[in-house]
């Protein structure tokens, strides 16, 4: 697999996934994203679609408050549909699964600084994807 950076689409597998999304009909794109995220969450052993799941999570995060737009130079060129709300939690679970894999990408970076940068990128995605906490006041204080 070729990797040219630490971003979610900076590798061959994610670029191929972006091409598959571009080639799919607009109404099929969410199912492709849901599929790769679900398979990653449910995977046992080696994560076959780790890079595709990171790319899918970045696309979901891009639609969340505080999310970064995905660069179309490496990511999909075609617009994504508005994703179902439940994809946000699924994407977060997929990233948690990837980050917990001790033999996955986190341990395979030649330059340790690149590995740290990649991990930081996943942490940023998870911070955006994390569902907002509901704030229920325990008591009301009047001035």
């Amino acid at each position: 697999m070729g990797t040219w950076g630490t971003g979610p689409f900076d590798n061959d597998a994610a670029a191929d996934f972006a091409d598959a999304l571009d080639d799919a009909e607009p109404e099929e794109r969410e199912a492709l994203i849901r599929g790769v995220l679900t398979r990653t969450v449910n995977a046992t052993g080696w994560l076959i679609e780790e890079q595709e799941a990171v790319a899918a999570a970045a696309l979901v995060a891009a639609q969340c408050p505080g999310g970064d737009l995905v660069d179309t130079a490496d990511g999909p060129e075609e617009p994504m549909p508005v994703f179902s709300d439940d994809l946000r939690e699924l994407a977060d679970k997929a990233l948690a699964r990837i980050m917990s894999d001790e033999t996955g990408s986190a341990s395979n970076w030649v330059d340790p600084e690149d590995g740290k940068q990649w991990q930081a990128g996943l942490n940023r995605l998870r911070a955006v994807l994390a569902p907002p906490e509901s704030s229920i006041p325990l008591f009301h204080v009047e001035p």
Side-chain angles (χ1 to χ4, degrees):
M1 173 178 80
T3 301
W4 51 90
T6 60
F9 285 94
D10 293 349
N11 60 77
D12 289 337
D16 289 345
F17 182 64
D19 290 340
L21 288 168
D22 284 339
D23 292 342
E25 295 297 322
E27 62 274 6
E28 298 170 342
R29 293 181 184 136
E30 181 172 329
L32 289 172
I33 288 170
R34 182 180 301 282
V36 73
L37 293 172
T38 301
R39 288 188 298 276
T40 299
V41 168
N42 294 332
T44 57
W46 189 55
L47 297 177
I48 297 169
E49 296 176 297
E50 175 181 48
Q51 299 303 328
E52 294 92 331
V54 171
L59 290 170
V60 174
Q63 293 186 8
C64 297
D68 294 328
L69 295 177
V70 173
D71 182 6
T72 57
D74 296 316
E77 295 177 7
E78 297 297 321
M80 292 295 110
V82 175
F83 298 129
S84 302
D85 290 338
D86 68 313
L87 277 185
R88 190 172 177 172
E89 183 179 354
L90 184 61
D92 184 51
K93 286 181 180 180
L95 292 177
R97 172 68 176 92
I98 290 165
M99 293 176 80
S100 72
D101 184 15
E102 294 178 10
T103 61
S105 290
S107 65
N108 291 328
W109 290 92
V110 174
D111 182 348
E113 288 305 311
D114 287 342
K116 289 177 185 174
Q117 190 174 9
W118 182 77
Q119 286 272 1
L122 296 186
N123 285 328
R124 279 192 304 278
L125 287 174
R126 291 199 68 202
V128 170
L129 290 166
E133 294 182 28
S134 59
S135 60
I136 301 170
L138 296 177
F139 52 89
H140 180 73
V141 177
E142 301 216 9

